[in-house]
Amino acid sequence: MKKLLAALFVSSILLAGCGSGGNTNESSESGSSASDGAKITAVGSTALQPLVDAAQESFTQENPTVQISVQGGGSGTGLSQVSGGAVEIGNSDVFAEEKDGIDAEKLVDHRVAVVGFAPVVNKDVGVKDITKEQLVDIFTGKITNWKDVGGKDQEIAVVNRASGSGTRATFEKWGLDGAEPVQSQEQDSSGTVKKIVADTPGAVSYLALSYLDDSLQALKLDGVEANEKTIANNDWPIWSYEHMYTNGEPKGELAKFLEYMVSEDVQSGPVKELGYLPITSMKIERDAEGNVK
């Protein structure tokens, strides 16, 4: 009798163990898909970073199983990393075709907004409006004192973005007509540039409109101010599309997030609130070669 009871006891343990093991596996699999979710990393343009940051906050609130990490580093970094498969999204201020060493054919372009860029100066230089020619002369070192353009008798301190920056590429192409700027300090981040210009007497640089506030003076060019109206009709030419590139067609949560970026909620919300232009606001279209139609 004791042997029979012992056998029954062992059998019940084995059966319970088998049943528990099966349930554990099922629970683990369903839990993995529910808790881990999708992980998306977006790297690149610091000009685009505030918009993607704002959008991912509201997106992940509605989709709590999705984790989205947004990092800067510049457009060149974003394009290189998404091209190499290191990240899911490469944020860029420039077309992939404009970057050397990038195989643009394998990348898919998702334009999510338009961003304008403006030359900015320390508020104490005493200048608010210059000509396009003067802008080129300042950044190429031909003009070195603010008094030569109607400002204080103060030396000009040029602050550049680092090589590889989409902001720099856009500014040089459309603001400086392709001229090479003078050698000067270079910064990787738009946020750092903003602080340096605000704190440094005589400083001048350039920033996306999304970074402008009362700590800086944005310059007009030939009497034209950078704003939504002047950018939309190309009266202010220093602007670019904000691209979110993927390596091939996106699927699943990645595709869902990119669709959300061009939704009415984002285009009428964070896009406008942060100083970008909705894609639908543009009256013209510009390609990678700069052709306008």
Side-chain angles (χ1 to χ4, degrees):
M1 184 68 176
K2 288 183 179 179
K3 290 182 179 180
L4 177 60
L5 289 173
L8 289 171
F9 179 73
V10 171
S11 297
S12 66
I13 291 176
L14 291 173
L15 287 170
C18 290
S20 174
N23 289 337
T24 299
N25 287 339
E26 286 180 11
S27 173
S28 175
E29 288 173 6
S30 62
S32 175
S33 62
S35 61
D36 291 350
K39 295 181 180 179
I40 299 169
T41 301
V43 173
S45 164
T46 58
L48 178 52
Q49 191 172 355
L51 175 58
V52 183
D53 258 331
Q56 70 85 18
E57 284 186 15
S58 53
F59 181 83
T60 52
Q61 284 177 0
E62 297 175 9
N63 301 272
T65 63
V66 182
Q67 299 176 44
I68 302 176
S69 172
V70 185
Q71 303 167 23
S75 298
T77 297
L79 290 170
S80 296
Q81 291 202 14
V82 73
S83 181
V87 299
E88 288 72 34
I89 299 173
N91 294 332
S92 177
D93 308 324
V94 297
F95 287 92
E97 291 87 343
E98 297 181 78
K99 282 292 181 183
D100 292 336
I102 300 296
D103 185 0
E105 290 187 1
K106 72 177 184 179
L107 299 181
V108 178
D109 184 6
H110 310 271
R111 300 182 197 178
V112 298
V114 168
V115 62
F117 299 92
V120 294
V121 297
N122 181 276
K123 290 183 73 172
D124 294 331
V125 302
V127 175
K128 296 182 178 180
D129 191 348
I130 59 176
T131 67
K132 182 76 169 293
E133 183 180 358
Q134 288 172 332
L135 179 71
V136 175
D137 287 348
I138 287 170
F139 275 90
T140 56
K142 293 180 181 178
I143 295 177
T144 58
N145 195 299
W146 287 113
K147 69 179 180 180
D148 295 330
V149 290
K152 285 185 176 181
D153 183 2
Q154 187 174 60
E155 185 177 353
I156 295 173
V158 174
V159 181
N160 256 317
R161 286 295 306 279
S163 176
S165 159
T167 297
R168 175 170 176 167
T170 300
F171 184 75
E172 288 181 2
K173 184 173 184 176
W174 299 106
L176 304 183
D177 296 331
E180 184 73 21
V182 67
Q183 289 291 322
S184 66
Q185 66 164 302
E186 297 182 352
Q187 299 295 332
D188 290 328
S189 163
S190 295
T192 303
V193 168
K194 175 182 175 180
K195 179 169 175 51
I196 290 174
V197 174
D199 295 344
T200 306
V204 60
S205 191
Y206 40 89
L207 286 168
L209 302 193
S210 51
Y211 279 88
L212 302 189
D213 59 25
D214 291 341
S215 68
L216 306 164
Q217 175 64 58
L219 296 180
K220 294 180 181 179
L221 293 179
D222 297 305
V224 178
E225 179 183 353
N227 57 40
E228 182 173 344
K229 182 179 179 180
T230 58
I231 291 169
N233 60 21
N234 208 42
D235 284 344
W236 183 271
I238 314 174
W239 62 269
S240 69
Y241 295 106
E242 290 292 34
H243 310 263
M244 296 178 74
Y245 279 99
T246 56
N247 196 330
E249 290 291 344
K251 298 178 181 178
E253 299 297 342
L254 178 57
K256 187 176 178 180
F257 178 55
L258 290 166
E259 288 169 5
Y260 180 70
M261 289 297 304
V262 293
S263 69
E264 183 66 21
D265 285 347
V266 174
Q267 293 292 304
S268 295
V271 168
K272 291 185 175 181
E273 292 164 6
L274 294 173
Y276 302 87
L277 277 74
I279 288 290
T280 53
S281 293
M282 296 302 290
K283 303 292 191 295
I284 56 95
E285 186 174 351
R286 196 163 70 188
D287 64 19
E289 285 74 42
N291 301 311
V292 175
K293 61 180 180 179

